[in-house]
Amino acid sequence: DSGVTQTPKHLITATGQRVTLRCSPRSGDLSVYWYQQSLDQGLQFLIQYYNGEERAKGNILERFSAQQFPDLHSELNLSSLELGDSALYFCASSGPNRATNEKLFFGSGTQLSVL
Amino acid sequence: ELKVEQNPLFLSMQEGKNYTIYCNYSTTSDRLYWYRQDPGKSLESLFVLLSNGAVKQEGRLMASLDTKARLSTLHITAAVHDLSATYFCAVDGGTASKLTFGTGTRLQVTL
């Protein structure tokens, strides 16, 4: 168990809908990262938050947004869903000091199926 | 744009054999990670390599990093069935610590 909690584990929805994925980082971790894993794109970095502020953006669509709350949990919002958004969405967290050998600790993921 | 390539993409090997997975990356980085993923599961951190010439070993797996060649290897010694999984390398591009992952190598160890 990595200590990173993601809910829900599975999500089935229809095209055009909006969903929210939730992530609670490991205790004490300030950074939260969102990744998307699909068969055709592999593992893609979406966005990073550090202590409530957006730190870096990757290949995140405009239909997607995220935020990190004061208690450090994070939510990834996906709207106007398309079939191609079906993927496994991972959240990861890391501690405050990236100068050391901090690893990213990954949650178990949310499997999103858009029908 | 940082690109990370792994080869092979798929590896079927017999128990007891040795093999190496290669990870090449396109821009300078001195921080490289190896992760393992079982089907439908999360990613488990295996190694963090922080400098040129770094070598780390855990059980039957050994990882090394050559930053000048922009190459990391994951060597499997005397494979066992429990090592069957997909292995990813990931490179820290230095920008806010986001990782760029390789394509993954699916390892299947047969009896």
Side-chain angles (χ1 to χ4, degrees):
Chain A
D1 183 5
S2 67
V4 179
T5 304
Q6 285 187 251
T7 56
K9 291 194 183 304
H10 302 277
L11 201 47
I12 301 174
T13 187
T15 55
Q17 295 298 304
R18 173 190 169 93
V19 296
T20 298
L21 313 183
R22 183 188 168 101
C23 169
S24 293
R26 291 189 319 156
S27 177
D29 283 358
L30 301 179
S31 279
V32 169
Y33 306 76
W34 286 97
Y35 284 84
Q36 178 195 59
Q37 185 176 34
S38 62
L39 285 175
D40 54 343
Q41 298 288 328
L43 264 163
Q44 300 256 324
F45 167 72
L46 296 178
I47 197 163
Q48 178 203 359
Y49 278 83
Y50 178 83
N51 202 20
E53 294 190 2
E54 183 184 303
R55 179 62 68 91
K57 241 177 184 177
N59 301 319
I60 187 166
L61 300 172
E62 285 190 10
R63 300 183 284 109
F64 296 0
S65 64
Q67 53 185 329
Q68 186 179 27
F69 295 87
D71 67 352
L72 300 177
H73 92 271
S74 178
E75 293 181 355
L76 179 66
N77 300 296
L78 314 176
S79 62
S80 303
L81 284 167
E82 302 175 359
L83 295 177
D85 298 327
S86 296
L88 188 52
Y89 291 84
F90 284 111
C91 167
S93 74
S94 68
N97 188 358
R98 289 288 289 165
T100 62
N101 61 345
E102 283 284 353
K103 308 170 189 176
L104 290 190
F105 293 87
F106 282 80
S108 56
T110 294
Q111 180 68 58
L112 173 67
S113 299
V114 182
L115 306 178
Chain B
E1 180 188 344
L2 174 58
K3 292 191 187 303
V4 183
E5 293 183 349
Q6 284 181 242
N7 69 84
L9 297 182
F10 178 74
L11 176 56
S12 179
M13 56 191 298
Q14 288 182 317
E15 275 201 335
K17 299 291 187 184
N18 304 331
Y19 208 83
T20 300
I21 299 171
Y22 297 88
C23 173
N24 292 89
Y25 53 98
S26 61
T27 63
T28 302
S29 176
D30 58 3
R31 189 190 296 262
L32 188 137
Y33 300 76
W34 284 96
Y35 284 87
R36 167 183 171 144
Q37 186 180 34
D38 291 298
K41 304 291 186 183
S42 185
L43 287 94
E44 174 192 351
S45 177
L46 295 174
F47 301 108
V48 181
L49 302 169
L50 295 178
S51 61
N52 187 40
V55 177
K56 289 197 174 177
Q57 182 161 8
E58 179 79 29
R60 301 175 188 273
L61 300 177
M62 183 174 71
S64 66
L65 177 62
D66 181 343
T67 58
K68 292 178 182 175
R70 298 177 187 166
L71 171 69
S72 179
T73 60
L74 180 66
H75 187 72
I76 302 151
T77 302
V80 292
H81 182 68
D82 285 350
L83 289 179
S84 298
T86 299
Y87 293 85
F88 291 93
C89 65
V91 177
D92 188 330
T95 305
S97 304
K98 64 182 175 74
L99 296 184
T100 299
F101 281 82
T103 47
T105 295
R106 187 174 156 217
L107 172 65
Q108 183 176 36
V109 181
T110 58
L111 299 171

